[in-house]
Amino acid sequence: MDTNSNKTGEGAAEDVAIAVGADKPQRKVFVKTYGCQMNVYDSDRMTDALASDGYVATDTMEDADLVILNTCHIREKASEKVYSELGRVRKVKEEKAKTGKQMMVSVAGCVAQAEGDEISRRAPIVDLVVGPQSYHRLPELLHRASNGSRVVETEFDIQDKFKHLATPSKEAVRKRGVTAFVTVQEGCDKFCTFCVVPYTRGAEVSRRVEQIVSETERLAAAGVREVTLLGQNVNAWHGTGPDGREWGLGELLFRLAKIDGIERLRYTTSHPRDMDDALIAAHRDLDSLMPYLHLPVQSGSDSILAAMNRKHTRDEYFRLVDRIRNVRPDIALSGDFIVGFPGETDQDFEDTLDLIRRVTYGSAFSFKYSPRPGTPGASMDEQVEEAVKTERLARLQALLMEQQESFNKSLVGQKIDVLFEKLGRMEGQLAGRSAWLQPVHVDAPEELYGEIATVEILKATASSLQGRLI
Ligand code: SAH
Ligand code: SF4
Ligand code: F3S
């Protein structure tokens, strides 16, 4: 499949969606999304796939004929949320049954992949358990489940998913706004010892260049101005370009930057080991590539980095950050940190704080280590006590918050570009994002929705900016 991919793959699905959907009774689907941006993207793709079966999206569970929980398995808390939510779903389902109305229940996402059968055992109201690689088959799987038999579908065949992903209608894209995600890579081969992703999403697979380009062109034509390329290891993306050469993410970004209407490009999440020269050059040469980079390091201690199987040292991370800042001095970094990985000593933790002080982050996510079933970390000796994790997380977050606040405050008095992406909380206000992803609130006319305008920043807090139109 090369240049024909449009006909056999995504392009064709749009026609089918509209043609088949038209003569089906209208039904409503309620999708609740947990976890990362890839789940957000996938939830929209599920809604798109179900459009062919006459389903429209609803925001209220009580209205729904079908409820889908798109779940996350990354930490224990995330995973357990599913079961408490299923308790609520059961009540709604029972209430509806009293009035003779049916409601189907499906669990999708990473918990579905990891726990499979176990879910229907623990929660018998679940009709369908579907792993992330089978969403294009949702209509068929739901038909199978609708006659009362429970269906569990957790096979890995990811190229299949990319080939058959349904395309949203222009209307659906418009409703979703002026920023959009495009998955370019899925899965992970890195096997960090704390992480479930290689088990829930499978091996690394890259989407084809022409699929990515055509999806981005369609989004641009429907009014999208900013595209964020997604992958668990987005910078491990690679593919054959139209020039016959092997492309990496850098080359792909250069290609996407040429699409009319796309004014901002981002990508997430990148692994430090896959930041190659072409990608760094893209940060130097592409105006539309935003000066913001999520580059998780997890820990600042060499021995913990080794135990986590991150395959780089703290020094290599410092050198990488220097190379990126050399070509793009205004770049803001963001990161992910884990405290309390097995064996983490006070000194290891101090090394992480030291790394944060040396790098300085514009924003960051940080977590207590959560032992996950089936991962090497879970069976390591020297698990760290909960109280120690709590104390370390508080110190780490205080430092990160300080850095985030001072970064935000450094913008006060500056004139920056803001993409307006929604109506503000107050009448006459619009909310947008800076190049560095900070939310910016501005008094502005509604016509500026979807536009980029220059804003003078008047006030900053740790979490957002306020400004006035220039
Ligand atoms: N692919 C990305 C991360 C995906 S998971 C990367 O390599 O950086 C998102 C974040 O969740 C991770 O960066 C990590 O900080 C956190 N995380 C993953 N597994 C975890 C666990 N078992 N306990 C606590 N945090 C975890
Ligand atoms: Fe998980 Fe590591 Fe893969 Fe990121 S690179 S998804 S942390 S295994
Ligand atoms: Fe969670 Fe799966 Fe994303 S485990 S973080 S939803 S890849």
Side-chain angles (χ1 to χ4, degrees):
M1 200 180 68
D2 43 41
T3 45
N4 272 335
S5 69
N6 247 346
K7 286 194 196 107
T8 52
E10 307 176 297
E14 185 168 30
D15 304 329
V16 175
I18 292 161
V20 180
D23 58 350
K24 292 270 171 77
Q26 205 190 65
R27 287 176 291 182
K28 289 184 177 165
V29 55
F30 172 80
V31 186
K32 182 153 185 180
T33 309
Y34 303 84
C36 64
Q37 288 139 325
M38 190 151 314
N39 266 8
V40 175
Y41 178 83
D42 282 348
S43 288
D44 284 345
R45 297 294 79 67
M46 285 193 260
T47 313
D48 297 337
L50 288 166
S52 65
D53 242 9
Y55 279 99
V56 293
T58 171
D59 294 335
T60 22
M61 194 195 292
E62 286 72 13
D63 282 350
D65 302 285
L66 167 65
V67 170
I68 300 177
L69 304 183
N70 193 8
T71 62
C72 175
H73 195 57
I74 201 82
R75 286 168 290 275
E76 190 182 353
K77 258 199 196 140
S79 207
E80 283 303 315
K81 264 190 208 151
V82 181
Y83 292 100
S84 51
E85 185 65 20
L86 281 171
R88 274 194 288 279
V89 177
R90 196 189 67 209
K91 285 199 190 109
V92 176
K93 184 170 172 147
E94 285 168 356
E95 280 306 308
K96 290 191 81 157
K98 284 184 197 155
T99 62
K101 290 201 187 106
Q102 287 194 341
M103 187 171 97
M104 289 190 78
V105 181
S106 173
V107 174
C110 290
V111 178
Q113 187 63 46
E115 296 188 0
D117 286 333
E118 176 68 19
I119 297 175
S120 7
R121 257 199 300 278
R122 272 181 74 176
I125 59 151
V126 175
D127 302 288
L128 170 65
V129 176
V130 56
Q133 318 313 347
S134 306
Y135 297 153
H136 55 288
R137 297 181 46 217
L138 260 180
E140 168 214 333
L141 295 169
L142 282 167
H143 285 180
R144 265 169 52 201
S146 62
N147 56 20
S149 55
R150 286 205 195 102
V151 176
V152 177
E153 180 62 57
T154 51
E155 261 171 45
F156 276 126
D157 190 356
I158 188 167
Q159 275 304 354
D160 228 44
K161 166 178 171 175
F162 285 147
K163 241 189 265 167
H164 299 293
L165 275 178
T167 319
S169 64
K170 258 192 180 176
E171 280 316 296
V173 174
R174 287 220 177 92
K175 247 200 234 154
R176 288 168 193 163
V178 293
T179 62
F181 295 131
V182 173
T183 295
V184 301
Q185 180 279 339
E186 190 166 343
C188 182
D189 297 340
K190 296 238 168 15
F191 290 93
C192 302
T193 52
F194 52 82
C195 184
V196 293
V197 171
Y199 312 96
T200 63
R201 294 277 174 167
E204 272 176 29
V205 177
S206 291
R207 239 176 127 184
R208 303 175 63 96
V209 174
E210 61 270 25
Q211 278 187 352
I212 299 166
V213 170
S214 68
E215 182 166 333
T216 309
E217 283 172 346
R218 268 199 308 273
L219 291 169
V224 167
R225 293 291 158 259
E226 173 179 307
V227 162
T228 302
L229 306 182
L230 297 183
Q232 268 91 28
N233 274 301
V234 70
N235 52 346
W237 178 89
H238 58 95
T240 311
D243 55 6
R245 284 187 318 111
E246 183 74 358
W247 282 11
L249 193 68
E251 285 89 353
L252 181 66
L253 285 162
F254 275 98
R255 172 66 188 85
L256 298 177
K258 291 192 183 129
I259 296 175
D260 257 358
I262 297 298
E263 308 200 34
R264 289 181 160 191
L265 288 166
R266 304 178 185 278
Y267 59 92
T268 197
T269 296
S270 30
H271 194 289
R273 278 180 58 89
D274 293 317
M275 288 300 296
D276 63 12
D277 291 342
L279 187 51
I280 295 177
H283 279 286
R284 181 190 61 209
D285 299 334
L286 282 179
D287 288 339
S288 55
L289 181 57
M290 291 294 98
Y292 173 93
L293 176 62
H294 187 59
L295 195 63
V297 66
Q298 317 294 354
S299 167
S301 148
D302 277 336
S303 62
I304 296 297
L305 283 170
M308 286 176 163
N309 194 31
R310 293 291 290 183
K311 296 207 175 81
H312 66 78
T313 61
R314 68 187 248 128
D315 238 31
E316 281 164 338
Y317 186 79
F318 288 141
R319 281 206 296 272
L320 175 60
V321 169
D322 283 347
R323 275 169 63 212
I324 300 165
R325 285 202 167 127
N326 272 337
V327 304
R328 192 72 215 227
D330 65 339
I331 204 160
L333 292 181
S334 103
D336 290 345
F337 297 91
I338 295 177
V339 299
F341 185 80
E344 186 184 74
T345 62
D346 285 340
Q347 186 54 51
D348 292 322
F349 176 65
E350 292 301 330
D351 288 349
T352 301
L353 294 179
D354 177 66
L355 177 142
I356 294 171
R357 283 189 202 103
R358 285 172 63 169
V359 173
T360 64
Y361 291 86
S363 65
F365 302 92
S366 46
F367 315 96
K368 288 186 213 173
Y369 171 67
S370 167
R372 304 305 289 131
T375 60
S379 52
M380 284 179 186
D381 299 335
E382 301 181 81
Q383 296 286 332
V384 173
E385 267 175 52
E386 190 60 26
V388 175
K389 288 184 196 171
T390 305
E391 196 241 271
R392 287 182 187 165
L393 186 67
R395 284 182 62 201
L396 182 107
Q397 289 185 336
L399 174 60
L400 288 167
M401 197 44 83
E402 214 175 274
Q403 294 192 345
Q404 183 171 322
E405 188 166 349
S406 80
F407 175 57
N408 288 358
K409 295 221 151 118
S410 73
L411 292 173
V412 173
Q414 290 199 39
K415 297 183 179 73
I416 63 169
D417 282 347
V418 172
L419 170 61
F420 290 110
E421 27 173 74
K422 49 184 183 204
L423 297 182
R425 261 172 273 144
M426 278 178 279
E427 183 85 20
Q429 263 198 356
L430 288 178
R433 297 254 178 195
S434 72
W436 305 280
L437 271 186
Q438 294 127 316
V440 189
H441 304 281
V442 182
D443 286 335
E446 230 174 271
E447 299 85 75
L448 280 183
Y449 169 80
E451 303 288 325
I452 294 176
T454 308
V455 168
E456 185 188 69
I457 300 304
L458 303 172
K459 239 177 95 179
T461 66
S463 55
S464 70
L465 308 175
Q466 238 183 63
R468 66 177 178 96
L469 281 177
I470 300 288

PDB file of all heavy atoms in Angstrom, residues 188-192 194-198 232-233 271 298 310, ligand 2:
ATOM      1  N   CYS A 188       5.820   0.783  22.395  1.00  0.00           N
ATOM      2  CA  CYS A 188       7.139   1.115  22.926  1.00  0.00           C
ATOM      3  C   CYS A 188       7.995  -0.137  23.062  1.00  0.00           C
ATOM      4  O   CYS A 188       7.519  -1.165  23.538  1.00  0.00           O
ATOM      5  CB  CYS A 188       6.969   1.772  24.296  1.00  0.00           C
ATOM      6  SG  CYS A 188       8.561   2.245  24.981  1.00  0.00           S
ATOM      7  N   ASP A 189       9.242  -0.013  22.622  1.00  0.00           N
ATOM      8  CA  ASP A 189      10.195  -1.127  22.739  1.00  0.00           C
ATOM      9  C   ASP A 189      11.218  -0.877  23.828  1.00  0.00           C
ATOM     10  O   ASP A 189      12.203  -1.587  23.919  1.00  0.00           O
ATOM     11  CB  ASP A 189      10.990  -1.292  21.419  1.00  0.00           C
ATOM     12  CG  ASP A 189      10.097  -1.643  20.246  1.00  0.00           C
ATOM     13  OD1 ASP A 189       8.978  -2.114  20.474  1.00  0.00           O
ATOM     14  OD2 ASP A 189      10.544  -1.436  19.103  1.00  0.00           O
ATOM     15  N   LYS A 190      11.031   0.165  24.634  1.00  0.00           N
ATOM     16  CA  LYS A 190      12.126   0.565  25.518  1.00  0.00           C
ATOM     17  C   LYS A 190      12.132  -0.194  26.849  1.00  0.00           C
ATOM     18  O   LYS A 190      13.160  -0.312  27.482  1.00  0.00           O
ATOM     19  CB  LYS A 190      12.055   2.077  25.762  1.00  0.00           C
ATOM     20  CG  LYS A 190      12.269   2.889  24.478  1.00  0.00           C
ATOM     21  CD  LYS A 190      13.422   3.807  24.610  1.00  0.00           C
ATOM     22  CE  LYS A 190      13.920   4.466  23.340  1.00  0.00           C
ATOM     23  NZ  LYS A 190      13.124   4.456  22.153  1.00  0.00           N
ATOM     24  N   PHE A 191      10.994  -0.648  27.290  1.00  0.00           N
ATOM     25  CA  PHE A 191      10.927  -1.454  28.511  1.00  0.00           C
ATOM     26  C   PHE A 191      11.635  -0.825  29.701  1.00  0.00           C
ATOM     27  O   PHE A 191      12.493  -1.451  30.325  1.00  0.00           O
ATOM     28  CB  PHE A 191      11.455  -2.880  28.254  1.00  0.00           C
ATOM     29  CG  PHE A 191      10.528  -3.681  27.375  1.00  0.00           C
ATOM     30  CD1 PHE A 191      10.711  -3.712  25.995  1.00  0.00           C
ATOM     31  CD2 PHE A 191       9.447  -4.370  27.927  1.00  0.00           C
ATOM     32  CE1 PHE A 191       9.844  -4.425  25.171  1.00  0.00           C
ATOM     33  CE2 PHE A 191       8.574  -5.094  27.116  1.00  0.00           C
ATOM     34  CZ  PHE A 191       8.776  -5.128  25.732  1.00  0.00           C
ATOM     35  N   CYS A 192      11.305   0.393  30.023  1.00  0.00           N
ATOM     36  CA  CYS A 192      11.733   0.963  31.297  1.00  0.00           C
ATOM     37  C   CYS A 192      11.145   0.051  32.382  1.00  0.00           C
ATOM     38  O   CYS A 192      10.003  -0.402  32.250  1.00  0.00           O
ATOM     39  CB  CYS A 192      11.211   2.381  31.456  1.00  0.00           C
ATOM     40  SG  CYS A 192      11.767   3.458  30.128  1.00  0.00           S
ATOM     41  N   PHE A 194       9.850   0.358  35.171  1.00  0.00           N
ATOM     42  CA  PHE A 194       8.672   0.738  35.965  1.00  0.00           C
ATOM     43  C   PHE A 194       7.387   0.709  35.143  1.00  0.00           C
ATOM     44  O   PHE A 194       6.298   0.858  35.680  1.00  0.00           O
ATOM     45  CB  PHE A 194       8.844   2.153  36.550  1.00  0.00           C
ATOM     46  CG  PHE A 194       9.224   3.203  35.520  1.00  0.00           C
ATOM     47  CD1 PHE A 194       8.260   3.799  34.732  1.00  0.00           C
ATOM     48  CD2 PHE A 194      10.552   3.569  35.344  1.00  0.00           C
ATOM     49  CE1 PHE A 194       8.602   4.744  33.775  1.00  0.00           C
ATOM     50  CE2 PHE A 194      10.905   4.514  34.385  1.00  0.00           C
ATOM     51  CZ  PHE A 194       9.927   5.101  33.602  1.00  0.00           C
ATOM     52  N   CYS A 195       7.485   0.534  33.829  1.00  0.00           N
ATOM     53  CA  CYS A 195       6.396   0.987  32.951  1.00  0.00           C
ATOM     54  C   CYS A 195       5.616  -0.133  32.269  1.00  0.00           C
ATOM     55  O   CYS A 195       6.187  -1.114  31.781  1.00  0.00           O
ATOM     56  CB  CYS A 195       6.997   1.915  31.895  1.00  0.00           C
ATOM     57  SG  CYS A 195       5.773   2.641  30.807  1.00  0.00           S
ATOM     58  N   VAL A 196       4.293   0.020  32.225  1.00  0.00           N
ATOM     59  CA  VAL A 196       3.416  -0.988  31.612  1.00  0.00           C
ATOM     60  C   VAL A 196       3.185  -0.771  30.115  1.00  0.00           C
ATOM     61  O   VAL A 196       2.637  -1.652  29.443  1.00  0.00           O
ATOM     62  CB  VAL A 196       2.016  -1.014  32.282  1.00  0.00           C
ATOM     63  CG1 VAL A 196       2.092  -1.498  33.715  1.00  0.00           C
ATOM     64  CG2 VAL A 196       1.346   0.361  32.201  1.00  0.00           C
ATOM     65  N   VAL A 197       3.581   0.394  29.609  1.00  0.00           N
ATOM     66  CA  VAL A 197       3.192   0.734  28.237  1.00  0.00           C
ATOM     67  C   VAL A 197       3.615  -0.309  27.188  1.00  0.00           C
ATOM     68  O   VAL A 197       2.820  -0.664  26.315  1.00  0.00           O
ATOM     69  CB  VAL A 197       3.667   2.161  27.862  1.00  0.00           C
ATOM     70  CG1 VAL A 197       3.472   2.440  26.391  1.00  0.00           C
ATOM     71  CG2 VAL A 197       2.908   3.190  28.691  1.00  0.00           C
ATOM     72  N   PRO A 198       4.845  -0.852  27.275  1.00  0.00           N
ATOM     73  CA  PRO A 198       5.207  -1.864  26.271  1.00  0.00           C
ATOM     74  C   PRO A 198       4.266  -3.075  26.287  1.00  0.00           C
ATOM     75  O   PRO A 198       4.107  -3.749  25.272  1.00  0.00           O
ATOM     76  CB  PRO A 198       6.629  -2.275  26.670  1.00  0.00           C
ATOM     77  CG  PRO A 198       7.161  -1.089  27.410  1.00  0.00           C
ATOM     78  CD  PRO A 198       5.981  -0.526  28.153  1.00  0.00           C
ATOM     79  N   GLN A 232       3.939   7.227  22.068  1.00  0.00           N
ATOM     80  CA  GLN A 232       4.546   6.928  23.366  1.00  0.00           C
ATOM     81  C   GLN A 232       6.038   7.250  23.305  1.00  0.00           C
ATOM     82  O   GLN A 232       6.652   7.607  24.298  1.00  0.00           O
ATOM     83  CB  GLN A 232       4.345   5.456  23.731  1.00  0.00           C
ATOM     84  CG  GLN A 232       3.091   5.211  24.538  1.00  0.00           C
ATOM     85  CD  GLN A 232       1.904   4.903  23.662  1.00  0.00           C
ATOM     86  OE1 GLN A 232       2.065   4.374  22.560  1.00  0.00           O
ATOM     87  NE2 GLN A 232       0.720   5.211  24.133  1.00  0.00           N
ATOM     88  N   ASN A 233       6.608   7.049  22.128  1.00  0.00           N
ATOM     89  CA  ASN A 233       7.992   7.468  21.848  1.00  0.00           C
ATOM     90  C   ASN A 233       7.973   8.184  20.531  1.00  0.00           C
ATOM     91  O   ASN A 233       8.448   7.679  19.527  1.00  0.00           O
ATOM     92  CB  ASN A 233       8.899   6.251  21.706  1.00  0.00           C
ATOM     93  CG  ASN A 233       9.387   5.817  23.039  1.00  0.00           C
ATOM     94  OD1 ASN A 233      10.016   6.587  23.736  1.00  0.00           O
ATOM     95  ND2 ASN A 233       9.083   4.593  23.386  1.00  0.00           N
ATOM     96  N   HIS A 271      11.642  10.632  23.908  1.00  0.00           N
ATOM     97  CA  HIS A 271      12.622   9.980  24.776  1.00  0.00           C
ATOM     98  C   HIS A 271      13.985  10.616  24.486  1.00  0.00           C
ATOM     99  O   HIS A 271      14.338  10.813  23.324  1.00  0.00           O
ATOM    100  CB  HIS A 271      12.647   8.476  24.479  1.00  0.00           C
ATOM    101  CG  HIS A 271      13.371   7.691  25.524  1.00  0.00           C
ATOM    102  ND1 HIS A 271      14.742   7.755  25.682  1.00  0.00           N
ATOM    103  CD2 HIS A 271      12.924   6.839  26.472  1.00  0.00           C
ATOM    104  CE1 HIS A 271      15.097   6.965  26.694  1.00  0.00           C
ATOM    105  NE2 HIS A 271      14.007   6.409  27.185  1.00  0.00           N
ATOM    106  N   GLN A 298      12.886  11.384  34.344  1.00  0.00           N
ATOM    107  CA  GLN A 298      12.459  10.486  35.430  1.00  0.00           C
ATOM    108  C   GLN A 298      13.286  10.609  36.704  1.00  0.00           C
ATOM    109  O   GLN A 298      12.744  10.645  37.799  1.00  0.00           O
ATOM    110  CB  GLN A 298      12.417   8.999  34.997  1.00  0.00           C
ATOM    111  CG  GLN A 298      11.823   8.711  33.634  1.00  0.00           C
ATOM    112  CD  GLN A 298      10.340   9.033  33.519  1.00  0.00           C
ATOM    113  OE1 GLN A 298       9.690   9.382  34.501  1.00  0.00           O
ATOM    114  NE2 GLN A 298       9.806   8.963  32.312  1.00  0.00           N
ATOM    115  N   ARG A 310      16.753   3.307  31.577  1.00  0.00           N
ATOM    116  CA  ARG A 310      16.534   4.450  30.682  1.00  0.00           C
ATOM    117  C   ARG A 310      17.640   4.542  29.622  1.00  0.00           C
ATOM    118  O   ARG A 310      17.510   5.274  28.641  1.00  0.00           O
ATOM    119  CB  ARG A 310      16.462   5.763  31.485  1.00  0.00           C
ATOM    120  CG  ARG A 310      15.245   5.857  32.378  1.00  0.00           C
ATOM    121  CD  ARG A 310      13.963   6.005  31.600  1.00  0.00           C
ATOM    122  NE  ARG A 310      13.816   7.300  30.947  1.00  0.00           N
ATOM    123  CZ  ARG A 310      12.739   7.675  30.249  1.00  0.00           C
ATOM    124  NH1 ARG A 310      11.718   6.839  30.138  1.00  0.00           N
ATOM    125  NH2 ARG A 310      12.676   8.851  29.684  1.00  0.00           N
TER     126      ARG A 310
HETATM  127 FE1  SF4 B   2       7.229   3.555  29.293  1.00  0.00          FE
HETATM  128 FE2  SF4 B   2       9.837   3.862  29.059  1.00  0.00          FE
HETATM  129 FE3  SF4 B   2       8.366   3.253  26.941  1.00  0.00          FE
HETATM  130 FE4  SF4 B   2       8.178   5.662  28.025  1.00  0.00          FE
HETATM  131  S1  SF4 B   2       9.999   4.795  27.049  1.00  0.00           S
HETATM  132  S2  SF4 B   2       6.493   4.359  27.367  1.00  0.00           S
HETATM  133  S3  SF4 B   2       8.436   5.234  30.171  1.00  0.00           S
HETATM  134  S4  SF4 B   2       8.719   1.948  28.706  1.00  0.00           S
END
